[in-house]
Amino acid sequence: MDAIHIPNLAHHPDKRVTIDFKQLVKDLKSLTPVQGTVTVMHKGNYLEVQVQAKTIVTLTCDRCLQQYNHRLNCDADEIIWLKDSELIISELPLNQDLELDDMVENLPEDGNFDVEAWVYEQLCLALPQRKLCDGDCKGIDVPQASPEDLTDRRWAALSALKNQLPDLAD
Ligand SMILES: [Zn+2]
């Protein structure tokens, strides 16, 4: 995905570009290429960007530390302020939930919009906050756990780590 030169987009007849893609996204550890569509619209003093994308990523379970595959679906849109343009609040597509402070993203209006970096960000935001290999994951199975180990799950996590590092285990 090439970066979009914002002034070119402003002069584009529709003032919008739609890109269908199926590729690996830089820095994203996905098992399969990311497949989706991204639309970048020039709305005068801001860009409106939308993406629908899907892929499969490998995550580490928070409970048992095993790796598992997760089907990642991303459906996001964002307003990116063009900071050199005049701020006219009434023209912004703000609703009650969207505060001006939420529009942390901004770009110079004669700059470039890095499509791939933006898509990468949206995919990261779509990752689950709580990573579980299975809703019923029982956590780490610690053989010969002493009663002290069982009093605190953090010790269980530590033991499992220790088992993975033979040099440290004695
Ligand atoms: Zn698990």
Side-chain angles (χ1 to χ4, degrees):
M1 275 174 271
D2 293 328
I4 291 175
H5 188 51
I6 296 169
N8 284 353
L9 184 62
H11 294 118
H12 198 276
D14 302 333
K15 296 188 189 297
R16 72 160 65 200
V17 171
T18 299
I19 303 163
D20 292 315
F21 60 89
K22 186 177 181 180
Q23 64 172 80
L24 292 171
V25 169
K26 188 171 174 285
D27 296 331
L28 186 82
K29 291 182 179 67
S30 61
L31 282 182
T32 55
V34 183
Q35 189 174 359
T37 304
V38 60
T39 306
V40 186
M41 289 166 277
H42 197 298
K43 298 283 185 83
N45 43 21
Y46 62 90
L47 298 182
E48 185 173 353
V49 199
Q50 299 171 339
V51 64
Q52 282 92 36
K54 59 182 178 181
T55 187
I56 295 172
V57 289
T58 302
L59 300 177
T60 303
C61 176
D62 289 340
R63 278 192 201 151
C64 68
L65 306 180
Q66 297 294 316
Q67 294 206 324
Y68 68 102
N69 293 335
H70 174 76
R71 198 173 289 277
L72 184 64
N73 283 304
C74 173
D75 186 349
D77 56 277
E78 190 175 41
I79 301 296
I80 296 166
W81 186 248
L82 299 176
K83 63 187 169 188
D84 304 325
S85 61
E86 194 187 344
L87 179 66
I88 304 169
I89 302 285
S90 62
E91 287 185 5
L92 291 174
L94 294 177
N95 58 39
Q96 282 155 347
D97 298 327
L98 180 68
E99 300 284 327
L100 196 59
D101 288 348
D102 291 335
M103 302 202 327
V104 285
E105 294 288 335
N106 63 72
L107 285 171
E109 62 183 341
D110 59 353
N112 290 309
F113 175 65
D114 187 337
V115 182
E116 188 165 341
W118 184 82
V119 168
Y120 168 71
E121 252 175 52
Q122 304 311 310
L123 289 164
C124 289
L125 289 171
L127 289 170
Q129 297 260 313
R130 191 170 162 76
K131 302 179 186 72
L132 292 179
C133 61
D134 185 288
D136 294 330
C137 174
K138 297 284 185 284
I140 293 163
D141 184 21
V142 186
Q144 302 162 335
S146 63
E148 296 86 62
D149 287 332
L150 295 173
T151 57
D152 190 329
R153 287 203 95 83
R154 285 172 295 181
W155 288 112
L158 203 60
S159 293
L161 271 179
K162 201 176 165 190
N163 291 337
Q164 288 171 12
L165 301 168
D167 290 345
L168 296 176
D170 53 30

